[in-house]
Amino acid sequence: NLNGTYRHLLASPHALKPTLLQCIDHEIIKQQNGRQGYIAMKMNSLTDRALIDKLAEASQAGVKIKLLIRGICCLRAGVPGLSEHIHVRSIVGNFLEHARILYVENDGSPVVFYFVGLIG
């Protein structure tokens, strides 16, 4: 059970999202008060609508945002008036370096293929 109290761990789903949204709000307020807001995030994917909308709100306030996304990213970066202060670097493709394994039974003579790099 992860429904405990933590000081240094944001356990999903209860603590992570509200804390992320609160931190982004803080950077928006800093930016609005004349101090430079900045957000950098590294994550496997970015598909959560509330988080995407909050990042767009921060960008519209002038907060500089850099995202390193390993997988799918549903945020369109660099759109004037919406996400122009957001830069997304995706490491899908040649830089996604985990192995893939394919096992086939092959009529009783099993074959295992081990792939490194991207399979199209």
Side-chain angles (χ1 to χ4, degrees), residues 25-99:
D25 277 333
H26 179 75
E27 294 304 306
I28 292 170
I29 291 167
K30 277 178 43 181
Q31 188 73 35
Q32 291 170 339
N33 289 327
R35 297 178 296 159
Q36 180 62 56
Y38 178 75
I39 298 166
M41 299 174 74
K42 176 186 178 284
M43 61 190 75
N44 285 335
S45 63
L46 178 57
T47 60
D48 183 84
R49 186 78 218 180
L51 183 55
I52 291 168
D53 290 345
K54 185 58 72 176
L55 289 168
E57 180 185 338
S59 175
Q60 291 165 15
V63 176
K64 304 291 185 215
I65 303 167
K66 293 193 187 260
L67 304 174
L68 180 59
I69 311 293
R70 182 174 181 256
I72 188 170
C73 180
C74 294
L75 184 150
R76 289 189 54 220
V79 177
L82 178 67
S83 58
E84 62 193 291
H85 297 290
I86 301 175
H87 175 76
V88 176
R89 167 90 27 118
S90 175
I91 57 175
V92 171
N94 293 335
F95 301 107
L96 186 55
E97 298 177 2
H98 67 275

Side-chain angles (χ1 to χ4, degrees), residues 1-7 9-16:
N1 186 354
L2 293 176
N3 292 331
T5 302
Y6 302 96
R7 292 186 318 176
L9 178 68
L10 297 176
S12 244
H14 304 292
L16 181 60

